[in-house]
Amino acid sequence: MTKRPLVLAVDVGTTKVSALVGEAQTDGELTVLGVAASPVVGMRRGLVFEVERVAMAIRDAVNRANSMAGTDLTQAVVAVNGDHLAIEAGQAGVHLKSGTVSPEDVERATRKAAQVTLPAGRETVQVIRRGLAVDGFRGVVDPVGMVAHQMDAEVFVVTGLTTVIRNLRRVVSMAGLNAALLIPAPQASADAVLADDEKQVGVVHLDVGGGTTGVTVYRGGHLQYLGVVPIGGESITSDLSVGLGVVTTQAERLKLEYAAVGVEREGTLEVRAVSGQSVKVIPVKELQEIVAARVDEWVGLVESHLSRIEWAKGPAAGVVMTGGGALLKGLRSFLESRWGWPVRLGAPIGLGGLSDLSRSPGYAVVVGVARDSRMYGLRSETESVWKRMVQMWLALWN
Ligand SMILES: Nc1ncnc2c1ncn2[C@@H]1O[C@H](COP(=O)(O)OP(=O)(O)OP(=O)(O)O)[C@@H](O)[C@H]1O
Ligand SMILES: [Mg+2]
């Protein structure tokens, strides 16, 4: 009997923890066997602030996903998020002694390219392939077996703050799991929803969550940029709560019902004040202005990330948004007219099994984490990091 390649993916988001048990196929398809989400308190802007409460939410979501799937998985692939994530470009070449490229040469070149010098307190989260060159010819997809003297590898090393990563591992282990592999959340989300041809021609992906917005840019089939803005839908909710003097739950309800970008609305609404039972009447316009101010700040920060990319004509495949915050009314058309690029909502693709729930934009990260686990190879305790890199490269080519 062959063992099924089951994977447990966990995304500890700012507003919810999602867990997914799936079977990641070699062709990139993902069969979903169990999926669940639990609301979480104790996270801020993608980072863990209250370990006990976060661990409880993880335990709950994972238990439900495991029981749906009839599994008891404890080795988890976990998304890492937060504006501490950064990318470093690495490049290195190796001389090919045998005259042909072997998988070990690829591994050697990759390992060398990934040896970027990190400042104190930072560590590598993931190494992402950008390209390979054989005797100076760039863009070689599968160089194994090619005759050559020299092979060069280009990588992006996604790095994060060690303290933040330690705390994430800690809550995962308090929930009875082992974080066997970490995947940057913005990358996972993009991998869940973007088609290969979009990554080829050029695309911007935004995962607009509760406390963060992941920004990734792809061109030529590879990642060109990854960054995180520490603002999401929750920021609008808390602004409304403070600005209108209402409790968070009411602010959230008002946001879902009335908040819209780029829309002028007349009329008033009645809200219950935080203190006491008094009812206040406020113009809808006041609510819209609070929303607009935060969206303005948000879009400015997103643009400061996008300005680090050199565009000839903008992303040919436009902008794809995921995450619950992307559902804010009017946001899509607001961005379209501001940037002049097509903007669409993305949903996870290539799913089978219990795919209905996991197809919604808020599940893109957990789906992508499950799918990426196959590509990056799960690390077991006895395996070295270099063996894992070989597996990663072999998986990319097979
Ligand atoms: N219809 C909607 N309109 C506006 N906002 C919405 C809508 N639905 C959900 N949201 C917002 O989406 C946010 C949650 O999104 P999501 O589940 O992607 O976040 P998360 O993964 O928990 O957070 P993060 O990725 O930032 O850590 C909340 O702020 C919520 O208010
Ligand atoms: Mg999220």
Side-chain angles (χ1 to χ4, degrees):
M1 196 175 79
T2 52
K3 241 175 132 189
R4 295 165 77 197
L6 295 181
V7 57
L8 166 64
V10 178
D11 170 29
V12 190
T14 309
T15 64
K16 65 171 199 311
V17 174
S18 30
L20 184 149
V21 174
E23 200 174 335
Q25 317 288 354
T26 36
D27 60 4
E29 291 279 309
L30 179 74
T31 307
V32 181
L33 305 173
V35 59
S38 305
V40 63
V41 275
M43 293 288 295
R44 258 186 260 162
R45 303 182 190 281
L47 313 181
V48 178
F49 272 79
E50 290 179 65
V51 284
E52 287 289 349
R53 295 172 97 172
V54 177
M56 211 164 68
I58 298 176
R59 213 176 292 124
D60 183 62
V62 168
N63 282 347
R64 288 192 291 126
N66 257 330
S67 77
M68 268 169 100
T71 52
D72 196 13
L73 303 177
T74 54
Q75 297 294 310
V77 192
V78 180
V80 186
N81 205 0
D83 69 344
H84 63 108
L85 293 178
I87 49 170
E88 303 276 342
Q91 181 174 15
V94 291
H95 181 68
L96 307 171
K97 287 175 213 123
S98 68
T100 53
V101 181
S102 69
E104 291 73 30
D105 295 321
V106 177
E107 183 242 324
R108 259 191 323 134
T110 309
R111 183 173 54 188
K112 233 173 134 182
Q115 278 173 359
V116 293
T117 314
L118 300 181
R122 293 193 75 82
E123 63 182 72
T124 298
V125 176
Q126 195 52 259
V127 178
I128 300 174
R129 171 177 89 145
R130 289 178 70 202
L132 292 169
V134 172
D135 281 351
F137 289 100
R138 299 179 75 184
V140 180
V141 178
D142 182 3
V144 173
M146 282 177 77
V147 180
H149 298 293
Q150 163 100 10
M151 202 195 64
D152 295 89
E154 281 182 286
V155 298
F156 264 140
V157 182
V158 182
T159 71
L161 284 175
T162 301
T163 324
V164 172
I165 294 165
R166 274 201 197 135
N167 277 307
L168 180 64
R169 287 189 181 281
R170 170 128 177 85
V171 284
V172 168
S173 88
M174 282 167 69
L177 310 169
N178 174 41
L181 178 71
L182 301 177
I183 307 275
Q187 176 201 351
S189 183
D191 285 341
V193 303
L194 298 179
D196 288 346
D197 53 357
E198 289 177 312
K199 289 184 176 175
Q200 191 63 43
V201 298
V203 64
V204 170
H205 176 255
L206 304 178
D207 188 275
V208 193
T212 65
T213 297
V215 182
T216 48
V217 177
Y218 288 81
R219 204 168 38 196
H222 298 297
L223 183 83
Q224 302 294 330
Y225 185 77
L226 182 150
V228 178
V229 170
I231 293 182
E234 243 191 14
S235 316
I236 298 177
T237 306
S238 69
D239 289 353
L240 289 176
S241 167
V242 174
L244 304 177
V246 299
V247 293
T248 311
T249 45
Q250 191 179 9
E252 178 74 13
R253 270 203 304 276
L254 290 171
K255 180 179 81 173
L256 299 185
E257 195 168 341
Y258 298 100
V261 199
V263 186
E264 295 271 325
R265 279 228 212 138
E266 297 303 318
T268 56
L269 47 104
E270 285 186 355
V271 297
R272 199 168 287 281
V274 173
S275 53
Q277 296 297 304
S278 63
V279 172
K280 294 194 292 186
V281 177
I282 55 150
V284 178
K285 211 167 163 223
E286 194 178 323
L287 178 145
Q288 302 288 23
E289 280 167 7
I290 295 172
V291 176
R294 185 58 93 163
V295 170
D296 251 20
E297 185 199 3
W298 172 84
V299 81
L301 290 174
V302 171
E303 283 169 354
S304 77
H305 282 274
L306 296 180
S307 67
R308 292 172 213 177
I309 300 286
E310 278 177 34
W311 299 105
K313 275 202 293 192
V319 180
V320 179
M321 292 198 293
T322 50
L327 301 173
L328 180 68
K329 289 186 206 85
L331 186 60
R332 207 186 57 76
S333 38
F334 167 78
L335 294 177
E336 275 194 341
S337 54
R338 183 164 170 127
W339 292 339
W341 303 334
V343 180
R344 70 171 177 90
L345 279 182
I349 52 175
L351 293 177
L354 302 170
S355 52
D356 277 2
L357 181 59
S358 30
R359 232 176 242 135
S360 81
Y363 284 82
V365 173
V366 81
V367 166
V369 164
R371 184 168 296 151
D372 284 352
S373 68
R374 176 108 200 174
M375 187 181 284
Y376 291 94
L378 273 175
R379 173 173 32 174
S380 74
E381 265 115 75
T382 53
E383 280 171 358
S384 75
V385 69
W386 307 126
K387 187 169 168 204
R388 188 164 67 93
M389 296 273 272
V390 177
Q391 284 177 343
M392 165 185 127
W393 285 94
L394 289 175
L396 282 168
W397 290 325
N398 290 321

